[in-house]
Amino acid sequence: MYLATTGRPDAPPAPSGVRRRVPGTVLALGAVSLVTDVSSEMVTAVLPLYLVLGLGLSPLQFGLLDGLSTGATALVRLLGGATADRGGRHKQVGGLGYALSACSRLGLLLAGGATGWIATAITADRLGKGVRTAPRDALITLHSPPEDLGRAFGTHRAMDTTGALLGPLAAFALLWATADAYDAVFAVSFSVGAFGVLLWVLLVPGRTRGDSKAPVVPAVPRARGEFPAEARARGGFLGGLLAGLLGGRRGGPRSPEYRRIVICAGILGAATIGDAFLYLLLQRRLAFDATWFPFLPLGAAAVYLLLAVPAGRLADRTGRRAPLLYGHGALLLAYGLLLAPLPDSVVLLGVLLLLGVFYAATDGVLMALAGPFLTEGRQASGLAVVQTAQALARLGAAVAFGAVWTASGPETALVAALLALTAALCCAARLLPTTPSAPSERSD
């Protein structure tokens, strides 16, 4: 059971061996993410089925639709992160993102079978996610001790994944009860998403500049070429954005360690197949009834839920570099299983297990790895750059995988993805820096 507390910056550190409580803000953010993920995963679980098997989109069309809607969040992530950092408006910017995602469900409900309107609604959902992700993760960083960031992100991701488990179940129940009425799924998803926005407003504390209730990272002396705080203030929004991306602090985006993390996020993202493609590949290989398709995300989500907190704690103790690499190694094995001449049951269970391990070891761990290299007032914009690099890379991966599948078949596309991820892992193993809180780990 997770224990809540409001972390005070002047509180003495916990004695060695004593488990510190998870900050209350992290639990509040986890509750919002749980409810919101029920809403989003209701749609995510049925959307590939609806688009490919229902509306008849080709894998290339689906890849373009999925990839372009993901890539549309790139600039929004950067602007959202910079806006949240400027004046400490993390709650306001994050709330706007949650509200936009909730309203996108209405777009799906009204779109009917019009592909253009469906694409617009999906893009609105991704834009909302892009706006809210960096401010939300920045709040986790601001309200958690640096040495416990892995556990904090693991706790949040575990609560988030609980919603990912409940969402497909709700979607399946609705499809079964309404004889495959997708409109019912979209309507209920909107209602649940609106409740998540309400929880954000009521439970999540605001974070303004100078708030003494959040832990403050000590200031780092200004390095040559750095944008000073007063220059950022005079430069308006654009100046703040440029400072966030080009500033030269030791813990800022121009530090060598931070740059290497951004590069690795892009390299690994470019070799990552989206979940929807993996589930479509499983459905194609196993040839099971499409009614069971919404259940596929449940297996991976259950593994993720069980391992998110242990993976975060392990990353805090041993360094966050190794779990990130091993997690992508699990994804590599999942690609291989889809190509292996093994019984269908082994392939199904193995792929879902490895996909859950991949997310548990990489999702929150990547943010926890980047967090200590960011200074006070630049958490959201710094994390947004990492997330944007990953999103843009996955945009290219989705389009490329869909194109190769359409042109040469799924087996050829999988072989290409496996080779690409192998090369990406070799590069990342050379480039990823060591977590500052784990000095025992050797830095490359």
Side-chain angles (χ1 to χ4, degrees), residues 22-23 26 140-141 144-145 148-157 312 316:
V22 176
V26 175
I140 296 175
T141 302
S144 305
D148 287 340
L149 277 177
R151 185 167 67 110
F153 276 103
T155 300
H156 173 268
R157 294 326 194 239
D316 287 339

Side-chain angles (χ1 to χ4, degrees), residues 25-128:
T25 299
V26 175
L27 297 183
L29 292 166
V32 174
S33 293
L34 189 157
V35 173
T36 302
D37 229 41
V38 171
S39 171
S40 63
E41 290 301 322
M42 286 180 67
V43 174
T44 300
V46 303
L47 202 58
L49 187 68
Y50 178 57
L51 295 177
V52 176
L53 302 182
L55 299 183
L57 269 65
S58 70
L60 175 58
Q61 290 173 314
F62 178 75
L64 285 169
L65 185 61
D66 184 67
L68 290 174
S69 61
T70 300
T73 68
L75 181 60
V76 172
R77 287 176 189 266
L78 297 176
L79 294 178
T83 303
D85 280 341
R86 186 171 177 78
R89 293 190 288 263
H90 300 90
K91 179 171 182 176
Q92 293 89 332
V93 175
L96 175 64
Y98 280 104
L100 182 59
S101 290
C103 291
S104 71
R105 314 289 187 251
L106 287 180
L108 287 171
L109 185 62
L110 299 175
T115 305
W117 286 107
I118 291 173
T120 301
I122 294 174
T123 300
D125 176 53
R126 300 295 173 83
L127 290 174

Side-chain angles (χ1 to χ4, degrees), residues 282 285-286 337 342-353:
L282 279 174
R285 171 164 177 168
L286 276 61
L337 273 182
L342 296 172
D344 289 347
S345 59
V346 174
V347 173
L348 175 63
L349 295 176
V351 169
L352 297 181
L353 173 64

